[in-house]
Amino acid sequence: MRIVLVGPPGAGKGTQAAFLAKNLSIPHISTGDLFRANISQGTALGVEAKGYMDRGELVPDEVTIGMAKDRMEQSDAEGGFLLDGFPRNVSQAEALDVMLKAAGMKLDAVLDLEVEEDEVVKRIAGRRICRNDSSHVFHVSYAAPKTEGVCDKCGGELYQRGDDTEDTVRNRLDVYHTQTEPIIDYYKAQGLVVTISALGEVNEITQRAMDALQK
Ligand code: ADP
């Protein structure tokens, strides 16, 4: 299966993507994670991406599309993939279509995670992420780790993402509305969109997503 996950920052895309990818036996491809890996390794791409990310802006398409394409062309993605954070604007969606068409492939579904803005701001402000694995996500009040600053799952160090501050979050939400939301209409025109609510327990949402994708 080839699936695109969309939804505002804080909708739980990363958390759901990790479970769904496991259930469906396809790799989880997150452009945000790819950028963060480049930043921590100090690559030229990471240096370029960091400023945009810290401001909550999109990293330019020239950089992003090439990076996503390289990842999708790796052998583990031959049988399918779950894209998280890509495409993030209409020109990226068009580039993805061109790329897939050239390979004789197409998308099977676009899963849209719906959650209101107040909830998103609350989730992001308290979010803490494990340095070892970005799918190990905690929240200072909703899902606190047993020991502050330590991941329950692997003992890794928990940190707050540099772009999870209030000002940057507002900007990321603006960018989501103006640049990313239009891809939902773009994919609706192709009949690919399934929308589910991203409110509730993590495993409930995973089940909702699996049910929606089965159809
Ligand atoms: P979230 O969905 O919570 O905002 P991500 O980890 O997906 O978090 O993205 C973090 C940041 O990485 C974005 O705000 C943006 O700067 C950059 N980024 C990730 N994916 C893309 C993309 N497809 N195009 C441009 N920038 C991107």
Side-chain angles (χ1 to χ4, degrees), residues 7-14 30-36 39 49-61 63-65 67-68 84-89 92 124 127 129 134 161 163-164 168 171-173 175-176 179-180:
K13 291 190 298 296
S30 157
T31 42
D33 285 350
L34 292 172
F35 284 131
R36 281 184 287 276
I39 291 172
K50 190 174 185 311
Y52 295 99
M53 291 175 77
D54 286 346
R55 291 188 297 273
E57 294 166 12
L58 296 189
V59 179
D61 287 349
V63 179
T64 305
I65 293 169
M67 179 185 75
D84 161 12
F86 182 87
R88 228 179 176 94
N89 60 27
Q92 292 180 10
I124 294 183
R127 175 157 79 173
I129 294 168
S134 64
R161 266 170 49 179
D163 61 348
D164 275 356
T168 306
N171 202 26
R172 282 159 63 200
L173 283 166
V175 168
Y176 180 74
Q179 302 193 50
T180 308

Side-chain angles (χ1 to χ4, degrees), residues 115-124 142 170 173:
V115 50
E116 65 265 30
E117 195 133 330
D118 287 354
E119 175 67 18
V120 154
V121 174
K122 275 191 262 170
R123 285 186 187 182
I124 294 183
Y142 303 149
R170 300 248 169 247
L173 283 166

Side-chain angles (χ1 to χ4, degrees), residues 46-146:
V47 171
E48 183 171 1
K50 190 174 185 311
Y52 295 99
M53 291 175 77
D54 286 346
R55 291 188 297 273
E57 294 166 12
L58 296 189
V59 179
D61 287 349
E62 302 81 71
V63 179
T64 305
I65 293 169
M67 179 185 75
K69 186 167 187 278
D70 284 349
R71 179 63 190 88
M72 281 182 268
E73 283 171 356
Q74 283 170 29
S75 58
D76 65 335
E78 269 167 25
F81 48 68
L82 179 63
L83 292 179
D84 161 12
F86 182 87
R88 228 179 176 94
N89 60 27
V90 171
S91 62
Q92 292 180 10
E94 287 167 350
L96 176 62
D97 274 350
V98 170
M99 203 185 300
L100 290 172
K101 201 165 175 207
M105 297 167 180
K106 58 181 184 54
L107 291 176
D108 296 293
V110 173
L111 186 67
D112 170 28
L113 297 183
E114 212 169 46
V115 50
E116 65 265 30
E117 195 133 330
D118 287 354
E119 175 67 18
V120 154
V121 174
K122 275 191 262 170
R123 285 186 187 182
I124 294 183
R127 175 157 79 173
R128 298 292 182 272
I129 294 168
C130 175
R131 288 217 187 266
N132 295 337
D133 185 332
S134 64
S135 74
H136 299 170
V137 182
F138 298 83
H139 188 284
V140 289
S141 33
Y142 303 149
K146 287 195 195 80

